[in-house]
């Protein structure tokens, strides 16, 4: 106990008698103990009385409106349809603004959207806007709004990433150059009819009409479409209207009462909730904290399927991952080196193991769901000995090559780790690197500073003519700097071939060349699990667009 | 000492109020007393033993591993601990135990290197500020004020994320961002010593500033510097683990305890507890050991504060 | 005495201005000199790699001007209170963004701080008055453990155990805004536990050593020798004197509260300043990164001045002149 010694070391009387101290300390201890027990019991009763799993449904039942909570990864940076880029931004814009022409979720063919009728005759595209199409503030959607939107996307000041998609319209180039005040090829025939003249045939023009997300000219004329505050509280013609957005948390939309499709949507409130990572999404789904999501981690498949409230779907494959080779690198410029690397990697094994058997080895640049996909296509075989010969023959044995992926993507990280070990067998020393997403994108897209890069920087699902941008010598997204005159000719031809049957053999040839030359090794498809609570019905799953593309058609199951 | 993994060692009043210099002649006897006090502190000795053990294990990593740390095994995903894999396997079929040992090498070396930078910059600048005073002191103190105004974790995340994250970036960033604390401490010590008689005496006989600093002030500050270094080691290891956990430190496939935690996190949901428990425990034990030892050293050097 | 204190306050306050300028310069340089820029960060892999396009995007963000001009423009706006508009986050004004998230962090950290103090003070006192007892020893060991425990590890383990396996508590905090308070407190439990434990450990040690130092002072013995009641001595003199340094230490913890526990906020998806900074850094959202650090930095500097002032006022032995007293 507390014995006090003064500075001379002499033992003095006890500072505080043991009894007093004990009494004081005891009283405090008792107080603390009581408080502790009280808190614990409170916590205990609460926990057992209403476990969090039930809470979500208790609330929903109490309210009368039909409300859905959708979980998403990663916050969308913007809902400006001129700037929207990634899948979540696109989805939000579709719900808020709808599309001039939509695409079928399964076949990706253009179908009527805000334009109820369309005809493409040679170089002339006529669109009839639905007579009931209205913005969420009640005003009519007119052809003027359509023309305004298209011009907005072409305007260089907006710096819209979709600009290149409408270059084929007559007068577009003059408008971009500034020699014309408006795009001559877009004509307002009457308030509900638009005619678009093309300067040259464009196989993708119907598909690209889906990116025309109409904004009201009356409210935006003369404003800066890149950054006007209007976009913080936008008005669109889509099935849902913007209500609120707490960044990093909930993005809330409510039903657009003026929507042109009768009795739709059935859902009155949509909450798009950002959840930090794919594992937490699985947990949130299992706990009924959210109704559905496109992105739960595939490793949670067993748990999700075992849950009686959830429906789990594996969508058709969409994004092909692999290795993109920088063909300006002295070794990688040699086709044999690229082929050697490709043949040393066992895609089937990787897909079975690291992708949990959900992913599959990929073949070429076009996803299996597309009409242009060549089913007879054969990938390069997995043959370590042949690979070794190729590498030796090219004089690349012992070479050090940098392979980079973006940090945080588990499957791509695993792919890098696997590649490092596999290529040791053929004498290539992989220098592995993980880079933060923003840095990687900057290095690859802007400066093309990389040797081998993992990711889905190339490859198409719905519209095959986009391959032009990926692999043509003049392509705007040709980051591998691949140049092949034969391929160029084929890509140019495919781009203007409107008839699907005519285009198929051209694309078959294109795919073959890409597989043989392998500027980009298409190795595996990334697996997704689309999960939804069984209380919902009316949905159509889509590989490219996800589960919630057709949200306006959904209803509550009986 | 630390809270929310932030070091405020310099602000612990015990250290500052009882800085006690001693004269050079006293050294051998004082050293003996210090050591004796240290050995009486069981916890501190335990800490020291653990640390020595850890460094030996880390140095001997290749010898005591059971597998190659980067060896993949298909089909051996997420196996629980067994006689074949003492701590189980991870998502890619790599042996967790071997990775833990290799990661220990990486983490401990990183911590060491970072602290070396921190203390070097901190001592030099702190000594200059404390001894020369005036303008030099003002400039250095303002710089520390600025750097200390940003929460360390935030500064580290910004710097590591913006410049390419890697082991060397981590070390440099921790070192360059953390020196203000050490500098302040050394400065305080030098300030306190500067006014002592023996310094005035040395000056009177015409000793150069360098001589004074090196032969008188520095040796008498050793106590504080040693304590600070030890405590900073624990903190640096924790910082490196935090950064690696966020993905901004040591990059895969090189293992570090922090990024092993990050890798293991995604599998935790599905029952693979060994992927997070072992690396986390390793970090915990290391930090604890350094804290205990540092605290014990502090008590051993300064008996007056009667804490233990 | 009074005038020198006012002089001290005046001097420190004026000093803040060059410090803040210095801070702004340091952060601006760090942020702009790093590789990667917001244009490419936001556009991602679909960005057409044509130089005109990227140039236009940068122009829209004001990034085309030379660095010194950008700095001057930014600081000029800052002085008038205009923190600018975020590049992502849907173009929201930076101050509005910070305002949204500020309360989230303060809530969490404030509760953890108060709880930590409330629990630590009694334990520290008891521990000091029963020095070397079993209780004291276990308190000391526990506080070491509490300080050494990596908080993200603890957070993960709690999340899995309490959130997933037992299902008692929600694992992530997004979505708590709409909840009634009868449900909402559940979101707080895990992050508060993780943040409070090291607080308790730190303050217990501090309280204990501070208390011990005071108890063993001569003047306590004197007071007792004079026959003053034991309890009076304990509560009156010892406690009061032990608490004073405690106040300044609490004050010094405030910067940490403002900085936000980035990792914890990330793990629990807690909408606070830390998470805002983390997201902004990932997207190279310069206005937000700079705005957050400037506000936090300014707040910390002000708090430092206040704490030094309190310290100086309370303990006249500490000199007020020259630099900061906290060294």
């Amino acid at each position: 106990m507390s014995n006090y010694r003064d500075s001379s070391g002499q033992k003095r009387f006890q500072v505080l008698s043991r009894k007093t101290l004990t009494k004081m300390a005891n009283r405090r201890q008792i107080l603390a103990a009581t408080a502790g027990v009280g808190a614990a019991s409170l916590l205990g009763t609460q926990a057992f009385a209403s476990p969090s799993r039930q809470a979500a449904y208790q609330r929903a039942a109490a309210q009368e409106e039909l409300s859905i909570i959708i979980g998403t990864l990663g916050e969308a940076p913007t809902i400006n349809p001129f700037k929207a880029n990634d899948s979540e931004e696109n989805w939000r814009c579709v719900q808020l603004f709808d599309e001039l022409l939509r695409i079928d979720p399964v076949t990706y063919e253009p179908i009527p959207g805000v334009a109820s009728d369309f005809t493409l005759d040679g170089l002339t595209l006529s669109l009839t806007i639905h007579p009931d199409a209205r913005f969420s503030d009640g005003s009519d959607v007119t052809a003027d709004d359509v023309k305004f939107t298209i011009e907005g996307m072409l305007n260089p000041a907006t710096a819209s990433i979709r600009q290149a998609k409408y270059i084929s319209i007559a007068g577009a180039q003059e408008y971009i150059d500034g020699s014309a005040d408006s795009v001559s090829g877009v004509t307002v025939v009457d308030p509900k009819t638009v005619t678009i003249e093309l300067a040259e045939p464009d196989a993708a023009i119907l598909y690209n009409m889906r990116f025309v997300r109409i904004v009201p000219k009356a409210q935006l004329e003369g404003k800066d479409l890149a950054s006007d505050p209007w976009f913080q509280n936008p008005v669109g013609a889509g099935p849902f209207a913007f209500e609120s957005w707490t960044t990093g948390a909930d993005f809330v939309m409510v039903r657009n009462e003026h929507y042109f499709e009768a009795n739709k949507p059935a859902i009155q409130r949509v909450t798009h909730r950002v959840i930090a990572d794919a594992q937490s999404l699985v947990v949130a789904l299992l706990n009924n904290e959210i109704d559905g999501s496109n992105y739960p981690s595939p490793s949670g498949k067993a748990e999700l399927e075992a849950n009686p409230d959830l429906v789990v779907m594996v969508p058709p494959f969409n994004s092909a991952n692999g290795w993109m080779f920088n063909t300006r690198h002295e070794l990688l410029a040699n086709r044999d080196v690229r082929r050697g690397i490709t043949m040393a990697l066992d895609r089937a094994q990787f897909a079975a193991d690291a992708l949990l058997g959900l992913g599959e080895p990929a073949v070429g640049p076009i996803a299996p769901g597309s009409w242009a996909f060549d089913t007879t296509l054969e990938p390069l075989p997995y043959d370590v000995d042949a690979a070794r010969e190729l590498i030796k023959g090219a004089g690349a044995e012992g070479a050090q090559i940098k392979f980079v992926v973006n940090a945080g993507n588990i499957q791509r990280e695993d792919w890098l780790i696997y590649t490092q070990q596999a290529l040791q067998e053929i004498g290539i020393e992989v220098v592995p690197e993980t880079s933060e997403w923003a840095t990687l994108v900057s290095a690859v897209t802007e400066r093309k500073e990389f040797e081998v890069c993992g990711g889905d920087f190339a490859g198409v699902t719905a519209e095959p003519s986009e391959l032009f941008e990926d692999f043509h010598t003049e392509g705007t997204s040709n980051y591998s700097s691949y140049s092949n005159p034969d391929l160029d000719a084929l890509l140019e031809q495919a781009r203007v071939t409107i008839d699907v049957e005519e285009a198929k053999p051209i694309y078959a040839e294109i795919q073959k060349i890409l597989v043989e030359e392998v500027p980009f090794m298409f190795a595996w498809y990334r697996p997704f699990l689309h999960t939804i609570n069984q209380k919902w019905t009316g949905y159509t799953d889509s590989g490219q667009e996800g589960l919630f593309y057709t949200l306006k058609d959904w209803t509550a199951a009986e | 000492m630390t809270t929310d993994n932030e070091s405020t060692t310099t602000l612990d009043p015990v250290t500052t109020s009882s800085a006690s210099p001693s004269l050079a002649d006293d050294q051998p006897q004082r050293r003996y007393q210090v050591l004796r006090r240290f050995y009486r502190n069981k916890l501190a000795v335990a800490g020291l033993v653990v640390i020595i053990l850890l460094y030996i294990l880390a140095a001997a990593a290749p010898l005591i591993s059971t597998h190659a740390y980067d060896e993949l095994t298909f089909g051996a995903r997420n196996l629980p601990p067994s006689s074949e894999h003492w701590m189980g396997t991870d998502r890619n079929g790599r042996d967790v135990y071997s990775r833990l040992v290799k990661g220990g090498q990486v983490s401990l070396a990183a911590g060491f290197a970072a602290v070396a930078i921190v203390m070097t910059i901190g001592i030099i600048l702190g000594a200059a500020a404390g001894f020369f005073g005036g303008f030099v002191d003002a400039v250095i103190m303002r710089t520390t004020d600025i750097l200390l105004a940003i929460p360390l974790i935030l500064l580290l995340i910004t710097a590591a994320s913006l410049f390419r994250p890697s082991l060397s970036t981590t070390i440099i960033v921790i070192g360059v961002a953390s020196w203000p604390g050490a500098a302040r401490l050394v400065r305080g010590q030098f300030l306190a010593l500067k006014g002592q008689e023996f310094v005035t005496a040395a000056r009177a006989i015409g000793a150069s500033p360098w001589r004074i600093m090196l032969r008188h002030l520095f040796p008498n500050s050793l106590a504080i510097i040693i304590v600070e270094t030890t405590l900073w080691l624990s903190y640096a290891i924790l910082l490196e683990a935090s950064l690696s956990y966020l993905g901004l430190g040591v990059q895969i496939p090189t293992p570090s305890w922090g990024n092993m935690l990050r890798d293991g996190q995604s599998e935790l949901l599905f029952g693979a507890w060994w992927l997070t428990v072992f690396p986390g425990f390793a970090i915990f034990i290391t930090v604890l050991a350094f804290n205990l030892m540092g605290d014990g050293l502090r008590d051993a050097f300064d008996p007056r504060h009667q804490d233990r | 005495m009074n005038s020198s204190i006012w002089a001290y306050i005046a001097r420190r306050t004026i000093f803040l201005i060059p410090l803040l300028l210095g801070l702004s310069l340091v952060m601006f340089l760090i942020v702009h000199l790093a590789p990667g820029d917001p244009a490419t960060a936001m556009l991602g892999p679909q960005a057409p790699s044509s130089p005109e396009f990227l140039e236009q995007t940068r122009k829209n963000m004001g990034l085309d001007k030379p660095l010194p001009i950008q700095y001057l423009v930014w600081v000029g706006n800052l002085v008038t209170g205009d923190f600018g508009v975020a590049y992502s986050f849907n173009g929201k004004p930076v101050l509005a963004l910070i305002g949204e998230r500020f309360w989230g962090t303060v809530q969490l950290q404030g509760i953890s701080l108060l709880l930590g103090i409330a629990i630590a003070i009694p334990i520290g006192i008891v521990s000091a008055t029963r020095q070397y007892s079993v209780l004291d020893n276990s308190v000391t060991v526990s506080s070491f453990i509490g300080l050494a425990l990596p908080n993200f590890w603890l957070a993960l383990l709690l999340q899995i155990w309490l959130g997933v396996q037992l299902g008692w508590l929600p694992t992530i905090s997004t979505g708590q805004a709409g909840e009634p308070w009868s449900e909402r407190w559940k979101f707080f439990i895990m992050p508060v536990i993780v943040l409070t434990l090291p607080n308790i450990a730190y303050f217990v040690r501090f309280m204990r050593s501070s208390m011990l130092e005071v108890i063993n002072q001569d003047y306590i013995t004197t007071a007792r020798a004079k026959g003053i009641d034991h309890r009076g001595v304990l509560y009156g003199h010892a406690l009061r004197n032990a608490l004073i340094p405690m106040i300044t230490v609490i004050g010094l913890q405030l910067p940490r509260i403002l900085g936000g526990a980035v990792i914890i906020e990330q793990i629990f998806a807690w909408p606070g300043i830390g998470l805002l900074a983390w997201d902004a850094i990932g997207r190279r959202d310069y206005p937000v990164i700079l705005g957050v650090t400037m506000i936090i930095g300014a707040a910390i500097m002000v708090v430092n001045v206040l704490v030094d002032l309190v310290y100086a006022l309370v303990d006249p032995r500490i000199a007020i002149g020259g630099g900061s007293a906290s060294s």
Side-chain angles (χ1 to χ4, degrees), chain B residues 1-5 8 13 149 151 158 161-162 187 242 246 261 265 268 276-277 280-281 295 306-308, chain C residues 27 34-35 131 137 140 147 151-153 156 160 199 202 205-206 208 253 256 259 266 281 284 297 300 327:
Chain B
M1 184 206 103
T2 59
T3 180
D4 191 43
N5 309 317
T8 44
T158 311
S161 161
L162 298 181
R187 170 185 179 272
S242 307
L246 290 172
L261 264 178
Q265 182 187 351
L268 195 53
T276 42
V277 166
F281 191 71
D295 214 65
Q306 283 236 325
D307 203 33
R308 276 259 132 237
Chain C
M27 286 314 300
Q131 199 180 13
N137 280 335
T140 306
L147 289 171
N151 63 353
F152 48 95
W153 187 47
L156 278 182
I160 292 300
N199 274 346
Y202 182 75
R205 294 202 62 214
F206 195 92
R208 185 180 171 280
Q253 295 300 310
R256 190 173 47 77
Q266 222 208 6
I281 291 170
R284 305 276 188 277
I300 288 178
S327 60

Side-chain angles (χ1 to χ4, degrees), chain B:
Chain B
M1 184 206 103
T2 59
T3 180
D4 191 43
N5 309 317
E6 289 243 355
S7 167
T8 44
T9 45
T10 53
L11 305 164
D12 184 330
V14 176
T15 317
T16 52
S17 65
S18 45
S20 63
S22 69
L23 298 179
D25 310 326
D26 238 2
Q27 290 289 19
Q29 197 199 13
R30 205 177 111 77
R31 241 180 261 145
Y32 174 68
Q33 281 182 335
V34 165
L35 286 174
R36 207 169 59 124
R37 274 194 293 267
F38 186 80
Y39 283 133
R40 272 199 291 154
N41 186 343
K42 291 169 288 196
L43 284 178
V45 172
L48 179 62
V49 166
V50 169
I51 290 171
I52 295 179
L53 212 62
L54 281 171
Y55 270 99
I56 292 180
L57 288 177
L63 300 172
I64 57 171
S65 305
T66 53
H67 301 75
Y69 70 89
D70 53 358
E71 179 191 314
L72 303 180
T73 329
F74 276 128
R77 267 180 85 92
N78 290 342
L79 295 176
S82 62
S83 50
E84 162 87 20
H85 293 280
W86 296 349
M87 293 184 183
T89 61
D90 70 3
R91 193 175 65 227
N92 288 300
R94 296 177 291 194
D95 180 44
V96 174
Y97 166 69
S98 308
R99 286 179 69 76
L100 196 74
V101 168
K102 174 72 181 174
Q105 220 178 36
V106 173
S107 295
L108 289 173
F112 214 78
V115 172
I117 298 180
V118 171
M119 293 317 287
T120 310
I121 303 181
I123 290 173
I124 293 177
L125 289 181
F131 188 74
F132 293 117
F135 182 67
V136 174
D137 183 24
V139 165
I140 294 180
M141 277 300 106
R142 293 313 127 231
T143 316
T144 62
D145 277 342
I146 292 178
L147 280 177
L148 284 176
I150 313 168
L152 189 56
I153 270 285
L154 207 56
L155 189 59
L156 289 178
I157 289 175
T158 311
S161 161
L162 298 181
F163 301 95
R164 167 159 305 170
S166 71
L167 179 58
S168 34
T169 309
T170 310
I171 294 174
I172 294 174
V173 156
I174 294 180
V176 167
S178 317
W179 64 262
R184 284 214 168 163
L185 195 68
V186 173
R187 170 185 179 272
Q189 182 70 343
F190 269 47
L191 271 180
L193 289 175
K194 207 168 62 163
Q196 298 272 322
E197 284 176 355
F198 70 95
V199 175
T200 330
R203 272 218 180 105
I205 61 172
S208 76
W210 292 111
R211 189 184 168 80
I212 297 179
M213 280 209 281
L214 277 176
R215 282 214 61 202
H216 297 288
L217 296 181
F218 187 68
N220 285 313
S221 313
L222 261 185
I224 284 222
I225 290 177
I226 291 178
V227 171
E228 186 74 358
T229 306
T230 317
L231 292 170
W232 256 110
L233 270 170
S234 84
Y235 190 42
I237 289 178
L238 199 50
L239 277 178
E240 183 274 320
S242 307
L243 278 181
S244 298
Y245 171 73
L246 290 172
L248 300 173
V250 178
Q251 300 291 299
I252 58 129
T254 315
S256 119
W257 289 335
N259 70 25
M260 285 176 75
L261 264 178
R262 175 189 172 78
D263 264 355
Q265 182 187 351
S266 45
E267 314 299 317
L268 195 53
L269 182 57
F270 315 115
W273 57 268
W274 54 95
L275 296 174
T276 42
V277 166
F278 291 117
F281 191 71
I283 301 172
F284 168 59
I285 281 292
T286 310
V287 172
L288 186 62
F290 274 113
N291 275 355
L292 287 175
M293 190 170 108
D295 214 65
L297 278 174
R298 182 195 284 156
D299 291 348
F301 278 119
D302 184 14
R304 270 198 292 153
H305 89 239
Q306 283 236 325
D307 203 33
R308 276 259 132 237

